Amino acid sequence: MFDFLRRKLRLAHLRKGKPAPRTHRDLSPDLKTNLTAIRRELGASPDLIIRCLKLGSGAEGTGALLFIDGLIDQQVVNRDVIFPLLNGVKRGKFQDGDDLLKYLAQNVLAVGEVKKEPQFGPVVEALLEGETILLLDGHDEALLLSTKGWEKRAINEPDAERIILGPHDGFTENLRTNTAMLRRKITDPGLHFEEMKLGRRTRTGVVIAYLKGVVNEKLVEEVRARLKRVNLDMVLDANYLNEFISDAPLSLFPTVTFTERPDVVAAKLLEGRVAIFVDGTPVVNTVPALFVESFQSPDDYNFPFYYATFIRWFRYLSFFLGVLSPALFVALATYHQELIPTSLLITINAATEGTPFPLAVEMVMMGAVFEIIREAGIRLARPVGQTISIVGALVIGEAAVTAGLVGAPTIIVTATTAITTFVVPDLLGPGIYLRLIYTILAGVLGAYGILIGLLFTLLHLVSLRSFGTPYLSPLAPISAGDFKDVIVRAPIWALGTRPRMIGWPRPQRQPIGFPPSGDEGEEGEAEDDG
Amino acid sequence: MDQGKISAGQLTLLIMSFTIGSWVVLPTGIQAWQNLWLIMFMGLGTGLLFAYLSLFLFRRFPGKTLFEIHERVYGPVLGKFISLCFLWFFLQTGGGTLAIFKTLLRSTVFTATPDLAILVPLILILVYGCRRGIEVIARSNQLLIMSTVGLVLVSILLVVNIFNPENLLPFFNLPFSEVIWTSISLAVFPFGQNVLFMMILPRVNRWQKVNGAVLKGMIGAGLVLSTIQFLAVGVLGKSGQILVFPTYEFYRMINIAQFLTRLELIPLLNFLTMGFIKTILCLYALAVGTAQVFNLRTYRPLALPFGLFLLLVAERIFPSISEHMRYLEEVQTFFGLIFSLLLPMMTLGIALLRGLPRRRMAP
Amino acid sequence: MTGKLQRRKRLKKGQGLLLLLFLVLAGGCWDRRELENLAVVLGMGVDFPAQGEGYEVSFQIVRASQIQTPGSGVGGGGGGESKPVWLLRSTGPTFFEAVRNATFQSSRRLFLSHNQVVIISTEVAKKGILPALDFLIRDPGPRNTQWLLLTPDDPGQLLDAAAGLERVSALAITDLIQDYHLTSKIRPVKIGDYVEMMMQKTSANTLPVIRIKENAGKKELLLDGTGVLKDDRLVGFLNYKETRGLLWILGEVKGGLITVDLPGGGKATCEIFTAATKVKVEARADQVHVKIEVKVETGLGAQTTYDDLSTTGQLKKLETLQGKAVEDEIRAALAKAKEYKADIFGFGEYLFKHDFRTWQRLQKEWERYFVDAQVEIKVEAKVEGIGLVTRPANYQAPEE
Amino acid sequence: MILLVVGVFLLLFLWEAPGLVAKEYWRELAVFTILLLIGLVFSLLLVGGVELPYIESFWIKVFAKVGKALTPGS
């Protein structure tokens, strides 16, 4: 049965689809034919504008400009394309026999990027991507004018990843804006971008970004290879690729990380990772992903290191509490009551007296209720959502206790879980599942059940890899040198080396430092040179 | 075959876990109670001697598992037979470990739970882990052994208020012959069972570092075991001698401000992870060994049936815990000596006599 | 990238495994005990039944809902309020059986893991304690840190007695016992300690004694001296003074008061700040010599005279007197122990630990050696503090 | 009960075997099947109430005499 399922899954996953047929026809020299062909290809779309014009004095010629309304910058087209075409061809400069298209590109058109294209297919593609097409009667080539320009969202702080200190800009939906933001962070010639189009119908621009000289070349190749294998109809968000290229697509744990913050991406590139930008989404994937990355917040580096270390510990603690507290409570209260301090036991005993369900069921039930409230709170409009959360938490919890449906301790544990889960948002998904599994195991076999669950999770985690890097490193396999940014957050001057498992081609980040001496600054100077 | 490679450091930690494995729960040599923690070091010394005999053999055949060495030294038929004997030894070691932990769980926390309910989930993750290969085992072990060592260190703090150094007296009130006997029995169990690592050594990425790793691992394990025993004696005094699981039970006495009490569940689970590593290594050795005996290309499909065998053995190895203790006291030493000392020594002797290996494998 | 394909496949196996795990585990939950079905026992008493064989065990069970939890507000007020604890008596041929037989009367399962005190009637103690308590030592449930006490009264009634400020008398007893260091006239013993002492071949055990005190028609609890058990059987009692002597020798005096009669009449009470004991046991020829050195530092706490005790000379005298008093207590304890022929001080154990050979020689007839033992006592008392006052307000210096 | 055991073993077999067949690992399949069959037989005996001998009891018998001779003080 499993095998059947597995085969089914694999088929679904790997079935090769044929790419949609693309026309490889050449353009015809006849303008009318070309226009008809394009009209036929795009249907009677009202946003396709065809502007026929006669070239200004100097060179005789009839032509047509084509563009999609809304994808181009009106001002650019009017001022820098149409106006020069109508007026700009000066007699004398242009001799008969010159290539008119070349002449136009070199002397007339005031746009940044001009390309010649003899084929029909790419012309249509360029049109759909927001370029303006110049077709001339009698020429079997078209000029593609880069006049892209559409409404963009302004840069603002990502909602999902708030920080207190540090830069507050976030990526937008526009690919170019995003890469530019990264360039602004890293002014290094080694910052390379590679673009490819993915998605047969969406033709989404996907950019691989990496820092040459820091990154492991094999990693880039692997990313390239995996992206090439992506065979999708549509790529609407970073997650579309995410699920396709991750090492363990069925694992609960994310082996590709994502962020909306340029500073985060910059930091990760500088550690030797590769970033994958997807056009149309502010979310940027980075690989390889490590388990411990989920516990690092950009704010860790914006605050003094002792405070950051402290907060990081609490993040670890919160995650384990969030995942384990219901299970531990169930195990303690139904199997290992001897471990509960006597006075506490009596209190809990009094509080749970008369509740109808077994504790494990109670726990799972309240967990489900909590998840529903949370989901409702997210989906609804913001003011209403908040009301839902408060009403849900207070009223349902209170009512359930008063009615004797569940014990008060259950509510307390669920609430603890609820709060602690949000501390590590990256692991929200795995957290929910693990919590449920552990709770059930605890209900069946007590602490032993939890141990079994933990061992299974451990085995799974250590066998995971993300683009060749062990997912649980540097914890297992241990690489003690990396603990400086995992167990603690060492002072910036002590973070002299990149994570060993990722940035090994060029491990040293800066002179491996001692506290910078504050007095003369000599030492610091010398180090800067080195 | 498994292509995974482990580092010498990981080997050290694996050896630690494996050695701590089941002894930590069911110690032998209880008659030497107060001095056991000292005799442990004598046992460690003897055990190291045994281990280095086997290592000598390994260094003559680097990159070969014990079974491959057997075939080289004894020829295919006799070699396979001796390998099969070793398979039996591994099966018994693994099954015995499972049996110990099953008994421990059943006589402390899960008195009413049937054996199968305890064993089956454990077997399942054992098989799961075994199929993932030695790399995964070694990595997960890194975290598990850390937590165990951490626990031992913490427990030193926890028992400070109930630790009575007087309980450690008198030193060496035993007749000398009994000291020797106890140290030999300790050398065989827990240290001698490390002969199983002859199946795993070829998976170490730098075989030159193996000697140091084994030394460090066994000394580390000796220190941990000795510390636990030391604490148990100091806390329990003589009354530990009548307990079945003294090394674990001294945690029951911990009482910090009337609040932290009955903490024994934590060491119980922690020691269980050590037993888990021990059993998973036995299972791995079984599967890989069988695959080598039958010249198979992969050991993975064998993990499941051998997991099942471990289950059966754990069920039918001892009629009761007292029989088990008797076995450990009386039989284990002889039985273990054959496998951890005599057979490797014989193999080494014959290899030397026959001048094997003919050409030096590596500088 | 075939490696990647393989990885994917393995992963799916893992998921399947998880599924199977659940199938297996769906079987049942054998050791589960829901909290609301537990009867938490906090105190137990062991006695012989009025008729028949075996043991009669009394359990003090908490009524959790009757113990007002902070914030619950409503719970306490109701009319026919029942007591916060419930006393249940059950009999059986063994302790274990008695525990199980309690299910005939209790709707909930008895939960012994939190039991705090075990009170043994002197009748049982005279017949031997280990046979009665074997279950408590063997079973994984009960703690090793339960307090053991003796009572000449009915342990059941004792557990039912009023608990003073506490709502549960077992917890009250725990507190009483743990405050032993305020007087150092009681020696608390845990069940684990008791077993440990039993393992020492030459030693005898002691247990604190608790009994019921009638006070204006109400029954109250009173810790009263120490019982001496030799070979697991009760052979006699020590009073407060002798118990203190025992504690001096064991080095377990942590506090308490020393009151001495002053030569000029009146008394002075000093509080013990620190006390340290050194015991040395030697076997010379055919006799055991015991050297006990006690160092004690005290502070003057109260006096019942008008004299100025705070002068150096007076303090010196006070110190000598205290030394005498301590020695007195030790002598008293020794005398009692020798009378019972019970080595409650662990002299034999000392030999075992420090001079194993001699111990081997003497252990067979240790009783004789113990009774004949020569004991040398040296007490060094020091008065360190005099409180906040130097002399009584109306003190008149004698004219010289 | 017997049916359950057989069912479980069948499940285990079906779980493992197709992968081996696909890769044409015939030797592996053979060893796997034999081992599984041995397991099945013992499991059936156990379930069927046949008193299998305890493994260590055998060794204890074998070694008891040697042990007596060599263990000092017993």
Side-chain angles (χ1 to χ4, degrees):
Chain A
M1 187 184 78
F2 293 113
D3 201 58
F4 172 72
L5 269 177
R6 204 194 310 150
R7 214 174 307 135
K8 204 73 175 162
L9 278 169
R10 198 188 315 155
L11 275 180
H13 227 275
L14 297 181
R15 187 182 292 141
K16 286 266 184 319
K18 286 246 157 44
R22 283 257 165 227
T23 38
H24 287 289
R25 282 182 288 135
D26 287 345
L27 288 172
S28 116
D30 181 39
L31 180 63
K32 280 232 169 71
T33 325
N34 284 338
L35 289 181
T36 329
I38 289 177
R39 275 214 195 87
R40 197 185 309 126
E41 184 86 4
L42 296 185
S45 308
D47 58 348
L48 172 69
I49 311 286
I50 300 178
R51 167 78 157 83
C52 291
L53 43 76
K54 273 212 157 62
L55 291 188
S57 56
E60 293 309 310
T62 318
L65 275 176
L66 295 94
F67 53 86
I68 305 280
D69 196 16
L71 286 187
I72 49 107
D73 189 334
Q74 286 279 357
Q75 209 185 347
V76 170
V77 171
N78 289 347
R79 190 187 58 204
D80 303 330
V81 179
I82 302 183
F83 184 77
L85 280 177
L86 290 177
N87 303 315
V89 189
K90 295 214 169 59
R91 176 168 304 275
K93 287 246 176 114
F94 176 74
Q95 271 104 40
D96 286 345
D98 280 3
D99 183 357
L100 180 59
L101 284 177
K102 198 173 168 190
Y103 173 80
L104 286 177
Q106 282 175 351
N107 297 310
V108 177
L109 294 166
V111 285
E113 197 186 335
V114 180
K115 264 188 297 186
K116 244 192 233 178
E117 181 58 58
Q119 288 208 317
F120 184 78
V123 165
V124 175
E125 258 165 41
L127 180 64
L128 294 175
E129 276 166 22
E131 301 195 7
T132 304
I133 314 290
L134 176 62
L135 288 170
L136 286 183
D137 200 16
H139 290 265
D140 58 356
E141 284 179 318
L143 274 190
L144 312 185
L145 314 174
S146 161
T147 54
K148 285 178 197 169
W150 48 78
E151 294 304 316
K152 294 174 211 161
R153 187 166 62 97
I155 294 174
N156 46 17
E157 177 157 32
D159 260 347
E161 295 168 80
R162 285 190 181 272
I163 60 167
I164 301 168
L165 288 177
H168 289 279
D169 52 345
F171 286 126
T172 67
E173 283 77 7
N174 190 17
L175 185 61
R176 278 286 158 261
T177 317
N178 291 350
T179 52
M181 284 165 88
L182 196 60
R183 281 263 186 230
R184 294 258 299 112
K185 304 263 177 205
I186 308 175
T187 318
D188 187 288
L191 177 60
H192 286 201
F193 294 116
E194 285 175 22
E195 180 152 6
M196 53 174 81
K197 301 266 180 215
L198 291 179
R200 284 195 316 279
R201 290 196 185 278
T202 56
R203 306 282 308 156
T204 313
V206 173
V207 166
I208 309 172
Y210 55 90
L211 206 55
K212 208 171 177 73
V214 172
V215 77
N216 175 9
E217 291 293 337
K218 285 218 179 95
L219 173 64
V220 183
E221 251 164 60
E222 178 70 30
V223 173
R224 238 179 257 141
R226 288 198 196 178
L227 282 177
K228 285 228 175 73
R229 261 206 323 268
V230 172
N231 189 358
L232 282 170
D233 213 21
M234 53 178 182
V235 178
L236 295 181
D237 184 79
N239 193 45
Y240 281 65
L241 297 180
N242 200 341
E243 295 198 357
F244 233 94
I245 63 172
S246 73
D247 292 62
L250 290 179
S251 173
L252 287 177
F253 293 91
T255 46
V256 175
T257 45
F258 47 86
T259 179
E260 285 188 48
R261 307 190 61 89
D263 50 330
V264 173
V265 172
K268 290 196 171 164
L269 290 191
L270 283 162
E271 284 184 345
R273 289 188 172 86
V274 173
I276 302 165
F277 290 75
V278 176
D279 198 8
T281 172
V283 180
V284 174
N285 287 333
T286 52
V287 291
L290 302 185
F291 182 68
V292 290
E293 253 176 90
S294 314
F295 298 92
Q296 297 169 337
S297 151
D299 252 352
D300 286 357
Y301 307 92
N302 306 334
F303 279 104
F305 65 91
Y306 43 83
Y307 177 69
T309 300
F310 193 62
I311 291 301
R312 189 172 282 179
W313 286 346
F314 275 101
R315 236 173 266 142
Y316 286 115
L317 180 73
S318 301
F319 177 67
F320 286 109
L321 273 183
V323 168
L324 281 175
S325 55
L328 282 178
F329 179 64
V330 168
L332 283 181
T334 52
Y335 283 89
H336 316 290
Q337 288 96 346
E338 67 270 11
L339 261 150
I340 308 174
T342 308
S343 46
L344 187 61
L345 177 83
I346 293 169
T347 316
I348 299 178
N349 195 349
T352 54
E353 213 155 65
T355 52
F357 302 107
L359 198 62
V361 176
E362 239 174 56
M363 213 72 225
V364 172
M365 238 165 51
M366 288 318 288
V369 168
F370 159 67
E371 290 302 333
I372 292 167
I373 293 173
R374 188 177 65 88
E375 187 61 17
I378 291 174
R379 295 293 158 231
L380 273 170
R382 211 161 279 173
V384 189
Q386 275 173 5
T387 326
I388 286 273
S389 313
I390 296 164
V391 168
L394 284 181
V395 174
I396 297 189
E398 183 67 30
V401 172
T402 332
L405 275 178
V406 295
T410 313
I411 300 288
I412 295 172
V413 173
T414 310
T416 315
T417 315
I419 294 163
T420 49
T421 322
F422 289 122
V423 177
V424 188
D426 283 12
L427 296 175
L428 209 60
I432 291 172
Y433 275 94
L434 291 181
R435 190 159 62 233
L436 182 69
I437 293 171
Y438 292 158
T439 312
I440 292 172
L441 281 171
V444 176
L445 277 176
Y448 179 66
I450 299 181
L451 182 77
I452 293 281
L454 283 177
L455 281 177
F456 181 79
T457 318
L458 178 65
L459 285 173
H460 175 66
L461 277 176
V462 295
S463 60
L464 274 186
R465 277 170 178 274
S466 170
F467 286 80
T469 309
Y471 185 56
L472 212 54
S473 73
L475 301 174
I478 291 177
S479 83
D482 293 349
F483 284 175
K484 62 185 182 303
D485 198 17
V486 171
I487 308 276
V488 295
R489 203 283 271 163
I492 300 286
W493 40 261
L495 295 174
T497 50
R498 307 198 155 85
R500 200 170 66 92
M501 285 289 174
I502 298 165
W504 55 266
R506 180 143 329 161
Q508 191 154 344
R509 184 143 44 184
Q510 63 209 15
I512 297 168
F514 297 95
S517 54
D519 39 29
E520 299 305 314
E522 274 171 33
E523 218 177 314
E525 221 95 301
E527 273 177 358
D528 279 345
D529 294 339
Chain B
M1 254 342 95
D2 191 8
Q3 294 305 319
K5 285 283 178 194
I6 59 175
S7 70
Q10 287 176 328
L11 176 73
T12 304
L13 297 182
L14 275 179
I15 288 179
M16 268 179 85
S17 302
F18 185 81
T19 316
I20 293 170
S22 50
W23 193 92
V24 72
V25 177
L26 197 60
T28 53
I30 291 295
Q31 69 274 8
W33 184 242
Q34 304 95 334
N35 301 315
L36 198 50
W37 64 278
L38 274 176
I39 298 176
M40 178 63 72
F41 291 108
M42 295 175 65
L44 173 63
T46 325
L48 275 174
L49 217 68
F50 295 0
Y52 271 83
L53 271 173
S54 298
L55 274 179
F56 191 57
L57 184 64
F58 170 71
R59 288 178 76 90
R60 287 188 77 81
F61 300 88
K64 291 230 180 305
T65 65
L66 184 63
F67 287 9
E68 285 163 336
I69 297 174
H70 283 157
E71 297 212 10
R72 281 292 294 275
V73 174
Y74 297 106
V77 180
L78 189 60
K80 280 193 164 102
F81 174 73
I82 292 180
S83 297
L84 283 178
C85 293
F86 266 97
L87 282 181
W88 174 252
F89 177 65
F90 298 157
L91 191 65
Q92 203 175 316
T93 310
T97 309
L98 274 185
I100 289 177
F101 281 96
K102 176 198 78 184
T103 318
L104 175 63
L105 281 170
R106 289 219 43 193
S107 50
T108 53
V109 196
F110 299 102
T111 40
T113 311
D115 284 355
L116 274 187
I118 289 175
L119 285 176
V120 168
L122 195 59
I123 295 279
L124 282 179
I125 52 171
L126 281 172
V127 172
Y128 173 79
C130 179
R131 296 176 63 105
R132 298 265 158 143
I134 190 75
E135 246 177 48
V136 165
I137 300 171
R139 278 187 210 153
S140 31
N141 176 55
Q142 281 181 319
L143 291 180
L144 298 179
I145 183 79
M146 286 297 154
S147 71
T148 304
V149 172
L151 171 85
V152 172
L153 294 181
V154 169
S155 48
I156 293 175
L157 294 179
L158 285 178
V159 301
V160 154
N161 64 339
I162 48 173
F163 186 87
N164 183 6
E166 284 266 306
N167 284 340
L168 296 163
L169 296 170
F171 283 124
F172 287 112
N173 58 332
L174 294 170
F176 190 63
S177 62
E178 197 152 335
V179 172
I180 294 293
W181 169 251
T182 311
S183 67
I184 289 180
S185 82
L186 283 177
V188 172
F189 173 68
F191 297 109
Q193 292 185 337
N194 279 327
V195 71
L196 180 134
F197 279 91
M198 291 290 285
M199 300 301 294
I200 290 159
L201 290 183
R203 299 261 65 82
V204 179
N205 52 10
R206 303 260 288 281
W207 66 269
Q208 294 88 343
K209 283 189 164 180
V210 155
N211 272 14
V214 171
L215 182 74
K216 272 187 264 175
M218 286 177 67
I219 289 180
L223 279 175
V224 168
L225 292 180
S226 174
T227 310
I228 291 176
Q229 178 62 25
F230 182 82
L231 295 180
V233 172
V235 171
L236 291 172
K238 280 181 180 171
S239 60
Q241 275 174 296
I242 58 165
L243 298 174
V244 180
F245 306 110
T247 40
Y248 140 80
E249 211 142 331
F250 80 86
Y251 284 92
R252 292 183 66 174
M253 304 294 283
I254 288 175
N255 184 351
I256 306 287
Q258 295 292 309
F259 191 78
L260 280 181
T261 51
R262 293 303 296 269
L263 295 179
E264 76 262 21
L265 192 69
I266 295 160
L268 171 74
L269 297 180
N270 224 316
F271 294 159
L272 188 70
T273 61
M274 294 293 98
F276 169 77
I277 291 294
K278 181 164 182 174
T279 322
I280 204 169
L281 285 174
C282 289
L283 181 58
Y284 180 79
L286 277 169
V288 168
T290 315
Q292 284 182 345
V293 166
F294 292 105
N295 296 325
L296 305 186
R297 276 159 292 184
T298 172
Y299 74 96
R300 292 214 163 76
L302 303 184
L304 189 66
F306 274 115
L308 217 81
F309 283 5
L310 283 180
L311 180 78
L312 290 173
V313 170
E315 269 298 284
R316 296 302 294 185
I317 190 164
F318 297 114
S320 71
I321 186 71
S322 45
E323 189 89 336
H324 197 155
M325 288 161 82
R326 191 176 150 216
Y327 166 80
L328 286 178
E329 294 296 338
E330 293 176 11
V331 181
Q332 164 77 40
T333 311
F334 305 108
F335 195 77
L337 265 182
I338 296 174
F339 288 99
S340 51
L341 185 65
L342 290 181
L343 282 176
M345 226 164 73
M346 194 168 86
T347 314
L348 182 62
I350 293 177
L352 287 176
L353 276 180
R354 289 184 57 190
L356 286 171
R358 290 240 158 65
R359 66 184 167 79
R360 302 290 295 161
M361 306 280 295
Chain C
M1 287 310 291
T2 47
K4 190 175 164 263
L5 278 180
Q6 253 180 356
R7 272 203 293 281
R8 280 194 181 163
K9 228 183 75 190
R10 264 188 270 145
L11 196 98
K12 270 166 219 155
K13 280 218 172 106
Q15 309 280 317
L17 237 146
L18 197 71
L19 204 78
L20 199 77
L21 197 79
F22 276 114
L23 286 179
V24 169
L25 292 184
C29 334
W30 302 268
D31 276 292
R32 209 189 63 198
R33 309 171 285 224
E34 286 293 331
L35 262 181
E36 61 255 35
N37 299 332
L38 286 187
V40 180
V41 176
L42 288 184
M44 289 193 280
V46 190
D47 202 352
F48 288 127
Q51 65 253 61
E53 292 240 303
Y55 298 98
E56 182 193 67
V57 185
S58 336
F59 303 95
Q60 186 174 43
I61 297 164
V62 191
R63 286 197 176 98
S65 51
Q66 292 298 326
I67 300 214
Q68 204 159 2
T69 49
S72 70
V74 214
E81 191 189 343
S82 49
K83 279 173 85 175
V85 288
W86 176 39
L87 192 84
L88 186 153
R89 285 168 191 263
S90 158
T91 51
T94 61
F95 192 101
F96 196 11
E97 186 110 341
V99 170
R100 272 299 145 82
N101 286 347
T103 46
F104 293 140
Q105 304 162 59
S106 168
S107 59
R108 300 178 184 181
R109 242 169 90 184
L110 296 192
F111 186 61
L112 300 183
S113 288
H114 278 273
N115 187 39
Q116 306 283 330
V117 291
V118 180
I119 296 164
I120 300 153
S121 78
T122 44
E123 303 305 310
V124 173
K126 275 173 195 157
K127 287 272 160 59
I129 286 180
L130 283 185
L133 297 190
D134 187 59
F135 167 74
L136 292 184
I137 300 157
R138 194 177 291 278
D139 193 77
R143 301 170 177 229
N144 274 343
T145 50
Q146 298 166 87
W147 300 109
L148 269 185
L149 294 109
L150 286 177
T151 183
D153 303 312
D154 174 25
Q157 273 187 19
L158 189 96
L159 283 172
D160 221 15
L165 296 174
E166 306 295 324
R167 299 177 68 92
V168 183
S169 62
L171 294 180
I173 296 171
T174 322
D175 290 345
L176 284 180
I177 276 197
Q178 278 173 344
D179 286 343
Y180 87 97
H181 56 83
L182 293 180
T183 58
S184 288
K185 283 179 177 172
I186 293 297
R187 178 159 188 266
V189 175
K190 290 173 191 162
I191 206 164
D193 300 340
Y194 188 84
V195 176
E196 156 71 12
M197 281 295 260
M198 286 307 300
M199 293 287 292
Q200 304 176 356
K201 279 183 195 155
T202 51
S203 300
N205 255 316
T206 58
L207 289 179
V209 177
I210 192 165
R211 61 183 179 80
I212 300 172
K213 186 181 165 210
E214 298 277 348
N215 184 8
K218 272 178 95 178
K219 285 175 180 163
E220 288 179 354
L221 300 171
L222 174 73
L223 279 173
D224 186 15
T226 303
V228 177
L229 292 101
K230 201 177 138 197
D231 238 352
D232 203 31
R233 288 179 186 82
L234 183 67
V235 288
F237 294 96
L238 304 181
N239 59 22
Y240 286 137
K241 183 182 174 189
E242 290 148 1
T243 310
R244 173 83 74 84
L246 169 70
L247 288 173
W248 282 121
I249 298 176
L250 293 175
E252 287 176 12
V253 174
K254 294 271 151 62
L257 306 177
I258 304 174
T259 300
V260 292
D261 292 325
L262 296 170
K267 288 174 198 290
T269 299
C270 291
E271 170 143 38
I272 301 168
F273 290 159
T274 60
T277 310
K278 254 192 210 154
V279 176
K280 214 169 168 203
V281 184
E282 275 175 356
R284 281 185 227 134
D286 229 18
Q287 194 167 34
V288 176
H289 289 254
V290 183
K291 230 191 210 163
I292 300 169
E293 270 177 55
V294 179
K295 272 188 190 160
V296 54
E297 288 172 7
T298 60
L300 182 59
Q303 67 182 65
T304 57
T305 66
Y306 296 113
D307 294 334
D308 179 7
L309 295 183
S310 66
T311 61
T312 329
Q314 287 287 358
L315 286 182
K316 266 265 151 13
K317 272 183 207 158
L318 200 56
E319 282 169 4
T320 331
L321 284 173
Q322 278 179 17
K324 277 260 165 52
V326 171
E327 189 176 339
D328 235 33
E329 286 169 343
I330 296 176
R331 292 264 176 232
L334 276 168
K336 258 295 168 54
K338 283 184 175 177
E339 184 192 323
Y340 297 138
K341 294 180 182 165
D343 180 7
I344 49 177
F345 313 108
F347 292 153
E349 190 61 15
Y350 183 93
L351 268 187
F352 170 81
K353 279 172 177 162
H354 295 94
D355 191 354
F356 182 67
R357 291 266 156 78
T358 317
W359 179 82
Q360 271 184 318
R361 187 160 57 84
L362 302 186
Q363 55 135 330
K364 289 253 164 60
E365 289 175 88
W366 180 250
E367 214 168 80
R368 184 165 67 77
Y369 287 107
F370 174 69
V371 173
D372 292 346
Q374 274 205 339
V375 184
E376 194 183 314
I377 301 168
K378 224 171 103 186
V379 184
E380 232 177 85
K382 235 180 132 196
V383 180
E384 294 230 311
I386 51 168
L388 300 180
V389 183
T390 49
R391 53 178 187 269
N394 62 350
Y395 171 71
Q396 302 267 312
E399 316 253 338
E400 305 243 345
Chain D
M1 194 63 198
I2 291 173
L3 272 179
L4 190 73
V5 170
V6 174
V8 166
F9 273 82
L10 209 66
L11 203 72
L12 294 181
F13 182 79
L14 285 180
W15 188 334
E16 195 70 70
L20 294 174
V21 174
K23 274 189 266 175
E24 302 192 344
Y25 276 14
W26 303 122
R27 279 176 73 87
E28 285 77 359
L29 185 63
V31 175
F32 169 74
T33 314
I34 290 168
L35 287 176
L36 208 61
L37 278 179
I38 297 173
L40 177 63
V41 168
F42 278 110
S43 307
L44 283 181
L45 286 179
L46 211 60
V47 170
V50 180
E51 270 294 305
L52 292 176
Y54 284 100
I55 295 162
E56 299 301 7
S57 302
F58 170 71
W59 290 119
I60 287 175
K61 263 179 218 146
V62 172
F63 281 104
K65 279 174 192 161
V66 194
K68 277 261 160 56
L70 287 176
T71 319
S74 60

